[in-house]
Amino acid sequence: MDDGIKLKLLRQEEQEEGDLKQRIWVESKKVWRVALPSVISRVCAFGTLVVTQSFIGHISEIDLAGYALVQTLSVRFVNGIILGMSSATETLCGQAFGAGQNHMMGIYLQRSWIIDLITLTILLPIFIFATQIFKLVGEEESIANSGGYISLWFIPFIYNYVFSLTIQMFLQAQLKNMIIAWLSAFQFGIHIPLTLFVYKLNMGLAGAMIALSCSSWFLVIGEFIYIFGGWCPHSWKGFTFAAFKDLLPLVKLSISSGVMLCLELWYYAILVLLAGYMADAKIAISAFSICLNMNSWEFMISLGFLGSACVRVANELGRGDAKAVKFSIKVLLGTSIAIGILFFVLCLAFGKKLAYVFTDDERVADMISELSLLLSFSVLLNSIYPILSGVAIGAGLQGTVAIVNLVCFYGIGIPVGALLGYLTSLEVKGIWIGMIFGILTQTIILGYMMWRTDWDDEVKKASKRLERFYLDSHEIPRQISNGS
């Protein structure tokens, strides 16, 4: 080959490599613009639950098990439904922002409040009759009684989910979620001294739960001030009767979203329930739930990237750019996996030492140490499958993913975990291995599904979806009541 041609090809390759690096850099900035505030807000919000558990763990062994039962079963159950149903807001707001239909975003937000408030109120008996429910499923009487008492204290807390989750998705879709990060960081900063204060006053369990509710509602009040105060002029036009229009299609999308994420979050709750049937239930539940909380706290980082995946995919589908969608997915996966490897190493190195932050019980700490290797692999998988779930939410594919979650988690993960936990000497480790097996299967299937998706076809579906929910901006002012 002629030297001139070789030189020309070499320069062309260098230019393409430079263009690729530039594209990765630009896309990474877009990803982190959404992911970083979301990571901070989720880590801080979940951190309040972890801090509360840590304080309760130094008050009473029974109350630690009771709190773990409520937080992992009841709260996760309800949070799964509300988070899942709220993700419909994420799909619609993200696609509306990408299509330039900003005025519709406030309507989607109000519709989600209506649907989520009604849903959560219907679910209140789960907390009111928690003692009877825990006894019905066979938990120890002392743990069930403690859990029932703690459940009542959780009621003021869980109502913050209706507003905090939906508003975060509303702001995230329009790249304004840095305010959520600041509010969440301030919330976490308030929660620690507030919990220390009630601890010093010897207010015990009740004081810890009051501190949790107070700090959680600080975040919601801050969000209201930001939206109603005029910082979202294009997307918030005030309260409107249009929010009550076309609720049924949104309910259907919300249910699909809810089922998808609920099947994922309830999976962990059922595994904790299985741990409660072990020979030493208090030790098993405490150790398993502490490991699960460490896993879930790291999972909040992955949820930040899940949110970023939702926004990036929804925005690009709204704009009609299928190539940009595929490129964004690659950048998201690469970034998240790199972070997952870092936490994989950290969990291996500091597994047992972290246990003493939550408990003084040597037996619980020893069991956590035994689970540290499995915890590390769970953390690594956390860096992959939430991104794939986020892509599905952004594209409105929740219904399909719900079926995948049902098969992988409940048809594979739980049966394998139960068999290994009860029919072998692995016990709690066997349950965790089953959990990993279910997640691994789900990850492989979702990966294949995303690879096979026709993104040009998804662009057309997104356009039709936006047309179905669309209201002309001139219609909205005539329907406003109590506008702000």
Side-chain angles (χ1 to χ4, degrees):
M1 187 182 291
D2 186 86
D3 289 342
I5 297 175
K6 285 183 180 178
L7 185 60
K8 187 177 180 180
L9 289 172
L10 185 61
R11 286 176 179 171
Q12 187 177 345
E13 287 175 6
E14 288 175 352
Q15 185 178 354
E16 288 174 356
E17 186 179 345
D19 289 343
L20 179 61
K21 287 180 180 178
Q22 180 64 23
R23 286 177 65 204
I24 292 172
W25 172 248
V26 170
E27 182 59 35
S28 294
K29 286 196 293 184
K30 291 178 181 178
V31 165
W32 278 103
R33 186 177 176 183
V34 178
L36 183 59
S38 184
V39 166
I40 293 170
S41 62
R42 291 182 187 277
V43 167
C44 290
F46 191 79
T48 60
L49 289 169
V50 176
V51 168
T52 303
Q53 183 182 38
S54 178
F55 274 91
I56 291 173
H58 294 288
I59 293 172
S60 160
E61 186 180 297
I62 292 290
D63 287 335
L64 174 62
Y67 179 90
L69 202 62
V70 176
Q71 193 234 314
T72 315
L73 292 180
S74 306
V75 176
R76 193 179 289 268
F77 178 87
V78 169
N79 182 41
I81 292 175
I82 301 301
L83 178 62
M85 296 187 78
S86 300
S87 71
T89 311
E90 199 161 24
T91 301
L92 294 170
C93 283
Q95 293 182 1
F97 184 77
Q101 298 176 8
N102 293 29
H103 63 282
M104 286 299 300
M105 298 176 73
I107 296 175
Y108 295 146
L109 178 63
Q110 291 170 65
R111 286 174 182 170
S112 68
W113 287 346
I114 295 166
I115 293 168
D116 289 358
L117 272 171
I118 293 170
T119 303
L120 183 54
T121 304
I122 292 170
L123 293 171
L124 272 187
I126 293 171
F127 291 86
I128 296 171
F129 302 107
T131 300
Q132 292 85 343
I133 293 170
F134 292 148
K135 287 180 180 178
L136 186 65
V137 295
E139 293 298 331
E140 283 187 14
E141 186 172 352
S142 59
I143 299 175
N145 289 333
S146 173
Y149 175 71
I150 292 169
S151 285
L152 297 176
W153 283 106
F154 260 114
I155 291 174
F157 169 80
I158 57 170
Y159 268 96
N160 91 85
Y161 285 146
V162 171
F163 304 101
S164 61
L165 293 174
T166 50
I167 292 173
Q168 179 173 332
M169 293 169 182
F170 167 77
L171 294 174
Q172 190 170 267
Q174 50 192 312
L175 307 178
K176 287 186 175 182
N177 60 335
M178 184 53 76
I179 182 64
I180 303 291
W182 285 112
L183 289 172
S184 299
F186 197 55
Q187 171 204 7
F188 188 63
I190 287 174
H191 182 68
I192 295 173
L194 189 59
T195 308
L196 280 168
F197 178 69
V198 297
Y199 184 74
K200 291 294 183 184
L201 290 178
N202 294 317
M203 292 178 69
L205 181 62
M209 296 306 297
I210 290 169
L212 179 65
S213 290
C214 289
S215 60
S216 67
W217 277 96
F218 166 82
L219 174 64
V220 176
I221 292 167
E223 290 172 337
F224 282 153
I225 292 171
Y226 184 79
I227 293 175
F228 302 156
W231 282 278
C232 300
H234 302 296
S235 53
W236 179 262
K237 303 292 184 181
F239 291 100
T240 169
F241 289 116
F244 293 91
K245 185 179 179 182
D246 293 327
L247 280 176
L248 188 58
L250 184 59
V251 168
K252 290 179 179 177
L253 184 59
S254 295
I255 290 172
S256 296
S257 303
V259 170
M260 182 194 114
L261 283 176
C262 284
L263 290 174
E264 200 165 300
L265 292 173
W266 295 349
Y267 179 49
Y268 299 101
I270 291 172
L271 293 169
V272 171
L273 194 63
L274 288 177
Y277 299 132
M278 293 290 168
D280 197 337
K282 290 190 291 291
I283 301 300
I285 290 177
S286 297
F288 196 89
S289 68
I290 287 171
C291 280
L292 202 54
N293 267 349
M294 286 193 275
N295 180 59
S296 298
W297 208 359
E298 188 278 333
F299 185 64
M300 294 302 110
I301 297 173
S302 302
L303 280 182
F305 281 94
L306 182 152
S308 186
C310 292
V311 172
R312 290 298 303 127
V313 170
N315 285 174
E316 297 302 343
L317 286 176
R319 291 190 185 99
D321 193 341
K323 288 184 179 179
V325 172
K326 289 184 275 190
F327 186 73
S328 184
I329 294 170
K330 293 173 185 176
V331 173
L332 279 158
L333 279 172
T335 307
S336 184
I337 290 170
I339 293 171
I341 292 170
L342 171 64
F343 279 97
F344 173 82
V345 174
L346 290 175
C347 284
L348 280 178
F350 300 106
K352 186 173 182 178
K353 292 179 182 178
L354 286 170
Y356 292 105
V357 175
F358 299 91
T359 181
D360 297 320
D361 194 314
E362 189 71 30
R363 294 172 300 168
V364 175
D366 286 340
M367 189 173 287
I368 290 171
S369 180
E370 292 176 13
L371 289 169
S372 61
L373 177 61
L374 297 174
L375 174 63
S376 301
F377 280 106
S378 294
V379 164
L380 187 59
L381 283 173
N382 280 353
S383 66
I384 304 172
Y385 78 89
I387 306 300
L388 301 175
S389 295
V391 171
I393 293 170
L397 299 171
Q398 291 95 323
T400 306
V401 179
I403 297 169
V404 173
N405 288 352
L406 179 65
V407 173
C408 295
F409 294 157
Y410 298 85
I412 298 174
I414 289 174
V416 170
L419 287 172
L420 292 177
Y422 290 102
L423 299 183
T424 72
S425 59
L426 290 170
E427 295 189 335
V428 175
K429 285 189 285 186
I431 295 174
W432 200 290
I433 290 169
M435 178 182 79
I436 290 176
F437 195 70
I439 293 171
L440 181 62
T441 309
Q442 180 228 29
T443 302
I444 292 169
I445 293 173
L446 285 184
Y448 179 76
M449 194 174 85
M450 293 302 110
W451 178 59
R452 294 286 297 173
T453 297
D454 184 343
W455 291 106
D456 290 305
D457 188 47
E458 293 304 320
V459 165
K460 296 174 185 175
K461 290 179 183 177
S463 178
K464 290 179 182 177
R465 187 181 296 116
L466 288 171
E467 287 174 8
R468 189 189 320 146
F469 288 107
Y470 182 76
L471 283 174
D472 189 273
S473 59
H474 297 297
E475 295 178 44
I476 298 171
R478 295 197 299 269
Q479 302 177 62
I480 292 177
S481 61
N482 301 320
S484 50

mmCIF file of all heavy atoms in Angstrom, residues 369-410:
data_model
loop_
_atom_site.group_PDB
_atom_site.id
_atom_site.type_symbol
_atom_site.label_atom_id
_atom_site.label_comp_id
_atom_site.label_asym_id
_atom_site.label_seq_id
_atom_site.Cartn_x
_atom_site.Cartn_y
_atom_site.Cartn_z
ATOM 1 N N SER A 369 -19.864 -11.315 58.428
ATOM 2 C CA SER A 369 -18.543 -11.599 57.859
ATOM 3 C C SER A 369 -18.615 -12.769 56.875
ATOM 4 O O SER A 369 -17.994 -12.749 55.807
ATOM 5 C CB SER A 369 -17.554 -11.908 58.980
ATOM 6 O OG SER A 369 -16.278 -12.195 58.465
ATOM 7 N N GLU A 370 -19.406 -13.797 57.231
ATOM 8 C CA GLU A 370 -19.568 -14.960 56.354
ATOM 9 C C GLU A 370 -20.285 -14.593 55.051
ATOM 10 O O GLU A 370 -20.065 -15.225 54.015
ATOM 11 C CB GLU A 370 -20.348 -16.054 57.082
ATOM 12 C CG GLU A 370 -19.591 -16.686 58.236
ATOM 13 C CD GLU A 370 -20.439 -17.703 58.983
ATOM 14 O OE1 GLU A 370 -21.506 -18.098 58.457
ATOM 15 O OE2 GLU A 370 -20.045 -18.103 60.094
ATOM 16 N N LEU A 371 -21.143 -13.570 55.123
ATOM 17 C CA LEU A 371 -21.905 -13.152 53.944
ATOM 18 C C LEU A 371 -21.168 -12.131 53.080
ATOM 19 O O LEU A 371 -21.657 -11.762 52.011
ATOM 20 C CB LEU A 371 -23.248 -12.550 54.378
ATOM 21 C CG LEU A 371 -24.295 -13.520 54.940
ATOM 22 C CD1 LEU A 371 -25.441 -12.734 55.568
ATOM 23 C CD2 LEU A 371 -24.814 -14.457 53.864
ATOM 24 N N SER A 372 -19.999 -11.651 53.527
ATOM 25 C CA SER A 372 -19.330 -10.529 52.849
ATOM 26 C C SER A 372 -18.945 -10.842 51.399
ATOM 27 O O SER A 372 -19.023 -9.962 50.531
ATOM 28 C CB SER A 372 -18.093 -10.088 53.636
ATOM 29 O OG SER A 372 -17.158 -11.142 53.741
ATOM 30 N N LEU A 373 -18.531 -12.087 51.106
ATOM 31 C CA LEU A 373 -18.169 -12.450 49.729
ATOM 32 C C LEU A 373 -19.405 -12.380 48.827
ATOM 33 O O LEU A 373 -19.355 -11.815 47.723
ATOM 34 C CB LEU A 373 -17.555 -13.849 49.684
ATOM 35 C CG LEU A 373 -17.188 -14.373 48.285
ATOM 36 C CD1 LEU A 373 -16.141 -13.470 47.622
ATOM 37 C CD2 LEU A 373 -16.669 -15.807 48.359
ATOM 38 N N LEU A 374 -20.520 -12.940 49.310
ATOM 39 C CA LEU A 374 -21.755 -12.905 48.530
ATOM 40 C C LEU A 374 -22.260 -11.469 48.386
ATOM 41 O O LEU A 374 -22.784 -11.091 47.332
ATOM 42 C CB LEU A 374 -22.824 -13.770 49.210
ATOM 43 C CG LEU A 374 -22.505 -15.269 49.304
ATOM 44 C CD1 LEU A 374 -23.556 -15.993 50.129
ATOM 45 C CD2 LEU A 374 -22.399 -15.894 47.918
ATOM 46 N N LEU A 375 -22.095 -10.677 49.435
ATOM 47 C CA LEU A 375 -22.471 -9.267 49.384
ATOM 48 C C LEU A 375 -21.690 -8.547 48.285
ATOM 49 O O LEU A 375 -22.250 -7.730 47.547
ATOM 50 C CB LEU A 375 -22.216 -8.606 50.740
ATOM 51 C CG LEU A 375 -22.415 -7.091 50.833
ATOM 52 C CD1 LEU A 375 -23.861 -6.711 50.556
ATOM 53 C CD2 LEU A 375 -21.985 -6.584 52.207
ATOM 54 N N SER A 376 -20.420 -8.865 48.160
ATOM 55 C CA SER A 376 -19.570 -8.233 47.143
ATOM 56 C C SER A 376 -20.069 -8.530 45.731
ATOM 57 O O SER A 376 -20.109 -7.636 44.878
ATOM 58 C CB SER A 376 -18.120 -8.721 47.288
ATOM 59 O OG SER A 376 -17.612 -8.415 48.554
ATOM 60 N N PHE A 377 -20.463 -9.785 45.482
ATOM 61 C CA PHE A 377 -20.976 -10.132 44.150
ATOM 62 C C PHE A 377 -22.322 -9.459 43.884
ATOM 63 O O PHE A 377 -22.616 -9.066 42.748
ATOM 64 C CB PHE A 377 -21.092 -11.660 44.008
ATOM 65 C CG PHE A 377 -19.789 -12.330 43.694
ATOM 66 C CD1 PHE A 377 -19.111 -13.063 44.666
ATOM 67 C CD2 PHE A 377 -19.207 -12.208 42.445
ATOM 68 C CE1 PHE A 377 -17.893 -13.671 44.387
ATOM 69 C CE2 PHE A 377 -17.985 -12.818 42.149
ATOM 70 C CZ PHE A 377 -17.328 -13.550 43.131
ATOM 71 N N SER A 378 -23.135 -9.315 44.927
ATOM 72 C CA SER A 378 -24.415 -8.614 44.770
ATOM 73 C C SER A 378 -24.193 -7.163 44.374
ATOM 74 O O SER A 378 -24.888 -6.611 43.517
ATOM 75 C CB SER A 378 -25.214 -8.677 46.074
ATOM 76 O OG SER A 378 -25.590 -9.988 46.367
ATOM 77 N N VAL A 379 -23.199 -6.542 45.017
ATOM 78 C CA VAL A 379 -22.857 -5.148 44.719
ATOM 79 C C VAL A 379 -22.408 -5.003 43.266
ATOM 80 O O VAL A 379 -22.750 -4.030 42.588
ATOM 81 C CB VAL A 379 -21.760 -4.660 45.693
ATOM 82 C CG1 VAL A 379 -21.099 -3.384 45.200
ATOM 83 C CG2 VAL A 379 -22.345 -4.440 47.085
ATOM 84 N N LEU A 380 -21.653 -5.981 42.786
ATOM 85 C CA LEU A 380 -21.187 -5.939 41.396
ATOM 86 C C LEU A 380 -22.360 -6.036 40.423
ATOM 87 O O LEU A 380 -22.430 -5.292 39.431
ATOM 88 C CB LEU A 380 -20.196 -7.082 41.153
ATOM 89 C CG LEU A 380 -19.485 -7.097 39.792
ATOM 90 C CD1 LEU A 380 -18.689 -5.820 39.573
ATOM 91 C CD2 LEU A 380 -18.574 -8.306 39.679
ATOM 92 N N LEU A 381 -23.308 -6.933 40.707
ATOM 93 C CA LEU A 381 -24.492 -7.059 39.844
ATOM 94 C C LEU A 381 -25.366 -5.806 39.901
ATOM 95 O O LEU A 381 -26.052 -5.473 38.936
ATOM 96 C CB LEU A 381 -25.311 -8.289 40.259
ATOM 97 C CG LEU A 381 -24.763 -9.646 39.816
ATOM 98 C CD1 LEU A 381 -25.565 -10.771 40.443
ATOM 99 C CD2 LEU A 381 -24.773 -9.774 38.306
ATOM 100 N N ASN A 382 -25.322 -5.101 41.043
ATOM 101 C CA ASN A 382 -26.076 -3.849 41.182
ATOM 102 C C ASN A 382 -25.683 -2.818 40.129
ATOM 103 O O ASN A 382 -26.445 -1.897 39.837
ATOM 104 C CB ASN A 382 -25.833 -3.223 42.560
ATOM 105 C CG ASN A 382 -26.655 -3.876 43.649
ATOM 106 O OD1 ASN A 382 -27.511 -4.708 43.377
ATOM 107 N ND2 ASN A 382 -26.379 -3.518 44.884
ATOM 108 N N SER A 383 -24.480 -2.949 39.604
ATOM 109 C CA SER A 383 -23.991 -1.951 38.650
ATOM 110 C C SER A 383 -24.479 -2.214 37.228
ATOM 111 O O SER A 383 -24.232 -1.404 36.335
ATOM 112 C CB SER A 383 -22.448 -1.931 38.659
ATOM 113 O OG SER A 383 -21.916 -3.148 38.171
ATOM 114 N N ILE A 384 -25.178 -3.347 37.025
ATOM 115 C CA ILE A 384 -25.593 -3.704 35.658
ATOM 116 C C ILE A 384 -27.111 -3.677 35.494
ATOM 117 O O ILE A 384 -27.651 -2.915 34.690
ATOM 118 C CB ILE A 384 -25.051 -5.100 35.263
ATOM 119 C CG1 ILE A 384 -23.530 -5.143 35.413
ATOM 120 C CG2 ILE A 384 -25.456 -5.442 33.833
ATOM 121 C CD1 ILE A 384 -22.929 -6.520 35.229
ATOM 122 N N TYR A 385 -27.821 -4.485 36.296
ATOM 123 C CA TYR A 385 -29.251 -4.661 36.001
ATOM 124 C C TYR A 385 -30.102 -3.411 36.249
ATOM 125 O O TYR A 385 -31.103 -3.219 35.536
ATOM 126 C CB TYR A 385 -29.818 -5.890 36.726
ATOM 127 C CG TYR A 385 -30.123 -5.721 38.192
ATOM 128 C CD1 TYR A 385 -31.367 -5.270 38.618
ATOM 129 C CD2 TYR A 385 -29.187 -6.054 39.165
ATOM 130 C CE1 TYR A 385 -31.659 -5.136 39.958
ATOM 131 C CE2 TYR A 385 -29.473 -5.916 40.505
ATOM 132 C CZ TYR A 385 -30.707 -5.463 40.901
ATOM 133 O OH TYR A 385 -30.995 -5.329 42.236
ATOM 134 N N PRO A 386 -29.760 -2.503 37.188
ATOM 135 C CA PRO A 386 -30.588 -1.284 37.294
ATOM 136 C C PRO A 386 -30.513 -0.400 36.049
ATOM 137 O O PRO A 386 -31.487 0.268 35.703
ATOM 138 C CB PRO A 386 -29.989 -0.562 38.520
ATOM 139 C CG PRO A 386 -29.328 -1.632 39.306
ATOM 140 C CD PRO A 386 -28.784 -2.575 38.285
ATOM 141 N N ILE A 387 -29.347 -0.403 35.395
ATOM 142 C CA ILE A 387 -29.210 0.390 34.158
ATOM 143 C C ILE A 387 -30.165 -0.150 33.098
ATOM 144 O O ILE A 387 -30.861 0.609 32.417
ATOM 145 C CB ILE A 387 -27.764 0.347 33.624
ATOM 146 C CG1 ILE A 387 -26.761 0.767 34.706
ATOM 147 C CG2 ILE A 387 -27.621 1.223 32.386
ATOM 148 C CD1 ILE A 387 -26.970 2.151 35.236
ATOM 149 N N LEU A 388 -30.213 -1.474 32.983
ATOM 150 C CA LEU A 388 -31.100 -2.102 31.999
ATOM 151 C C LEU A 388 -32.566 -1.829 32.339
ATOM 152 O O LEU A 388 -33.390 -1.596 31.452
ATOM 153 C CB LEU A 388 -30.824 -3.608 31.943
ATOM 154 C CG LEU A 388 -29.379 -4.008 31.577
ATOM 155 C CD1 LEU A 388 -29.208 -5.521 31.667
ATOM 156 C CD2 LEU A 388 -29.017 -3.511 30.184
ATOM 157 N N SER A 389 -32.896 -1.840 33.650
ATOM 158 C CA SER A 389 -34.262 -1.503 34.069
ATOM 159 C C SER A 389 -34.579 -0.049 33.754
ATOM 160 O O SER A 389 -35.689 0.285 33.322
ATOM 161 C CB SER A 389 -34.434 -1.747 35.575
ATOM 162 O OG SER A 389 -34.307 -3.111 35.888
ATOM 163 N N GLY A 390 -33.596 0.844 33.962
ATOM 164 C CA GLY A 390 -33.779 2.259 33.661
ATOM 165 C C GLY A 390 -34.021 2.506 32.187
ATOM 166 O O GLY A 390 -34.846 3.344 31.813
ATOM 167 N N VAL A 391 -33.310 1.786 31.346
ATOM 168 C CA VAL A 391 -33.509 1.886 29.892
ATOM 169 C C VAL A 391 -34.947 1.477 29.546
ATOM 170 O O VAL A 391 -35.614 2.122 28.739
ATOM 171 C CB VAL A 391 -32.491 0.996 29.140
ATOM 172 C CG1 VAL A 391 -32.836 0.916 27.659
ATOM 173 C CG2 VAL A 391 -31.071 1.539 29.323
ATOM 174 N N ALA A 392 -35.417 0.394 30.192
ATOM 175 C CA ALA A 392 -36.779 -0.088 29.939
ATOM 176 C C ALA A 392 -37.820 0.944 30.352
ATOM 177 O O ALA A 392 -38.799 1.176 29.638
ATOM 178 C CB ALA A 392 -37.004 -1.401 30.692
ATOM 179 N N ILE A 393 -37.599 1.599 31.510
ATOM 180 C CA ILE A 393 -38.537 2.624 31.978
ATOM 181 C C ILE A 393 -38.551 3.804 31.017
ATOM 182 O O ILE A 393 -39.603 4.335 30.664
ATOM 183 C CB ILE A 393 -38.174 3.086 33.408
ATOM 184 C CG1 ILE A 393 -38.396 1.949 34.410
ATOM 185 C CG2 ILE A 393 -39.017 4.300 33.815
ATOM 186 C CD1 ILE A 393 -37.855 2.235 35.796
ATOM 187 N N GLY A 394 -37.362 4.233 30.594
ATOM 188 C CA GLY A 394 -37.266 5.357 29.672
ATOM 189 C C GLY A 394 -37.982 5.088 28.361
ATOM 190 O O GLY A 394 -38.533 5.996 27.735
ATOM 191 N N ALA A 395 -37.999 3.818 27.951
ATOM 192 C CA ALA A 395 -38.640 3.438 26.690
ATOM 193 C C ALA A 395 -40.103 3.041 26.878
ATOM 194 O O ALA A 395 -40.811 2.797 25.898
ATOM 195 C CB ALA A 395 -37.874 2.277 26.050
ATOM 196 N N GLY A 396 -40.562 2.949 28.142
ATOM 197 C CA GLY A 396 -41.938 2.539 28.390
ATOM 198 C C GLY A 396 -42.160 1.042 28.230
ATOM 199 O O GLY A 396 -43.265 0.599 27.912
ATOM 200 N N LEU A 397 -41.111 0.236 28.485
ATOM 201 C CA LEU A 397 -41.203 -1.218 28.323
ATOM 202 C C LEU A 397 -41.434 -1.936 29.653
ATOM 203 O O LEU A 397 -41.057 -3.090 29.832
ATOM 204 C CB LEU A 397 -39.909 -1.755 27.682
ATOM 205 C CG LEU A 397 -39.560 -1.233 26.290
ATOM 206 C CD1 LEU A 397 -38.166 -1.668 25.880
ATOM 207 C CD2 LEU A 397 -40.591 -1.715 25.268
ATOM 208 N N GLN A 398 -42.072 -1.250 30.609
ATOM 209 C CA GLN A 398 -42.212 -1.794 31.957
ATOM 210 C C GLN A 398 -42.942 -3.130 32.005
ATOM 211 O O GLN A 398 -42.599 -4.014 32.796
ATOM 212 C CB GLN A 398 -42.941 -0.780 32.851
ATOM 213 C CG GLN A 398 -42.126 0.458 33.158
ATOM 214 C CD GLN A 398 -42.424 1.607 32.222
ATOM 215 O OE1 GLN A 398 -42.652 1.382 31.040
ATOM 216 N NE2 GLN A 398 -42.405 2.824 32.718
ATOM 217 N N GLY A 399 -43.970 -3.270 31.195
ATOM 218 C CA GLY A 399 -44.774 -4.492 31.219
ATOM 219 C C GLY A 399 -43.954 -5.736 30.892
ATOM 220 O O GLY A 399 -44.083 -6.770 31.557
ATOM 221 N N THR A 400 -43.090 -5.625 29.900
ATOM 222 C CA THR A 400 -42.245 -6.763 29.500
ATOM 223 C C THR A 400 -41.262 -7.108 30.605
ATOM 224 O O THR A 400 -41.050 -8.291 30.932
ATOM 225 C CB THR A 400 -41.472 -6.427 28.207
ATOM 226 O OG1 THR A 400 -42.398 -6.004 27.213
ATOM 227 C CG2 THR A 400 -40.694 -7.630 27.713
ATOM 228 N N VAL A 401 -40.649 -6.072 31.209
ATOM 229 C CA VAL A 401 -39.665 -6.306 32.271
ATOM 230 C C VAL A 401 -40.341 -6.909 33.502
ATOM 231 O O VAL A 401 -39.737 -7.715 34.214
ATOM 232 C CB VAL A 401 -38.926 -4.999 32.635
ATOM 233 C CG1 VAL A 401 -37.920 -5.239 33.748
ATOM 234 C CG2 VAL A 401 -38.213 -4.437 31.416
ATOM 235 N N ALA A 402 -41.595 -6.548 33.756
ATOM 236 C CA ALA A 402 -42.333 -7.114 34.891
ATOM 237 C C ALA A 402 -42.428 -8.642 34.757
ATOM 238 O O ALA A 402 -42.266 -9.375 35.743
ATOM 239 C CB ALA A 402 -43.730 -6.504 34.969
ATOM 240 N N ILE A 403 -42.666 -9.114 33.542
ATOM 241 C CA ILE A 403 -42.751 -10.562 33.311
ATOM 242 C C ILE A 403 -41.390 -11.217 33.552
ATOM 243 O O ILE A 403 -41.297 -12.278 34.176
ATOM 244 C CB ILE A 403 -43.248 -10.850 31.882
ATOM 245 C CG1 ILE A 403 -44.671 -10.314 31.698
ATOM 246 C CG2 ILE A 403 -43.193 -12.344 31.575
ATOM 247 C CD1 ILE A 403 -45.157 -10.321 30.260
ATOM 248 N N VAL A 404 -40.330 -10.565 33.066
ATOM 249 C CA VAL A 404 -38.967 -11.091 33.274
ATOM 250 C C VAL A 404 -38.667 -11.175 34.765
ATOM 251 O O VAL A 404 -38.141 -12.185 35.259
ATOM 252 C CB VAL A 404 -37.924 -10.186 32.569
ATOM 253 C CG1 VAL A 404 -36.504 -10.631 32.921
ATOM 254 C CG2 VAL A 404 -38.122 -10.219 31.060
ATOM 255 N N ASN A 405 -38.996 -10.113 35.523
ATOM 256 C CA ASN A 405 -38.745 -10.099 36.968
ATOM 257 C C ASN A 405 -39.521 -11.199 37.680
ATOM 258 O O ASN A 405 -38.998 -11.851 38.599
ATOM 259 C CB ASN A 405 -39.124 -8.741 37.558
ATOM 260 C CG ASN A 405 -38.145 -7.642 37.177
ATOM 261 O OD1 ASN A 405 -37.110 -7.908 36.591
ATOM 262 N ND2 ASN A 405 -38.477 -6.412 37.504
ATOM 263 N N LEU A 406 -40.763 -11.394 37.263
ATOM 264 C CA LEU A 406 -41.602 -12.423 37.886
ATOM 265 C C LEU A 406 -40.972 -13.807 37.720
ATOM 266 O O LEU A 406 -40.865 -14.576 38.686
ATOM 267 C CB LEU A 406 -42.993 -12.394 37.257
ATOM 268 C CG LEU A 406 -44.002 -13.425 37.786
ATOM 269 C CD1 LEU A 406 -44.321 -13.165 39.252
ATOM 270 C CD2 LEU A 406 -45.279 -13.401 36.953
ATOM 271 N N VAL A 407 -40.532 -14.113 36.514
ATOM 272 C CA VAL A 407 -39.954 -15.434 36.234
ATOM 273 C C VAL A 407 -38.615 -15.616 36.947
ATOM 274 O O VAL A 407 -38.379 -16.628 37.617
ATOM 275 C CB VAL A 407 -39.784 -15.633 34.713
ATOM 276 C CG1 VAL A 407 -39.018 -16.926 34.423
ATOM 277 C CG2 VAL A 407 -41.138 -15.654 34.019
ATOM 278 N N CYS A 408 -37.732 -14.614 36.830
ATOM 279 C CA CYS A 408 -36.367 -14.756 37.368
ATOM 280 C C CYS A 408 -36.321 -14.735 38.887
ATOM 281 O O CYS A 408 -35.619 -15.535 39.512
ATOM 282 C CB CYS A 408 -35.469 -13.652 36.815
ATOM 283 S SG CYS A 408 -35.208 -13.751 35.042
ATOM 284 N N PHE A 409 -37.075 -13.815 39.497
ATOM 285 C CA PHE A 409 -37.015 -13.676 40.945
ATOM 286 C C PHE A 409 -37.860 -14.726 41.668
ATOM 287 O O PHE A 409 -37.415 -15.337 42.634
ATOM 288 C CB PHE A 409 -37.481 -12.280 41.363
ATOM 289 C CG PHE A 409 -36.563 -11.173 40.897
ATOM 290 C CD1 PHE A 409 -37.033 -9.881 40.756
ATOM 291 C CD2 PHE A 409 -35.228 -11.417 40.603
ATOM 292 C CE1 PHE A 409 -36.202 -8.853 40.340
ATOM 293 C CE2 PHE A 409 -34.389 -10.411 40.179
ATOM 294 C CZ PHE A 409 -34.872 -9.115 40.050
ATOM 295 N N TYR A 410 -39.098 -14.919 41.175
ATOM 296 C CA TYR A 410 -40.032 -15.770 41.910
ATOM 297 C C TYR A 410 -40.081 -17.201 41.381
ATOM 298 O O TYR A 410 -40.466 -18.107 42.117
ATOM 299 C CB TYR A 410 -41.428 -15.128 41.885
ATOM 300 C CG TYR A 410 -41.429 -13.790 42.573
ATOM 301 C CD1 TYR A 410 -41.069 -12.633 41.882
ATOM 302 C CD2 TYR A 410 -41.738 -13.675 43.916
ATOM 303 C CE1 TYR A 410 -41.024 -11.400 42.507
ATOM 304 C CE2 TYR A 410 -41.699 -12.445 44.557
ATOM 305 C CZ TYR A 410 -41.347 -11.311 43.841
ATOM 306 O OH TYR A 410 -41.296 -10.101 44.476
#
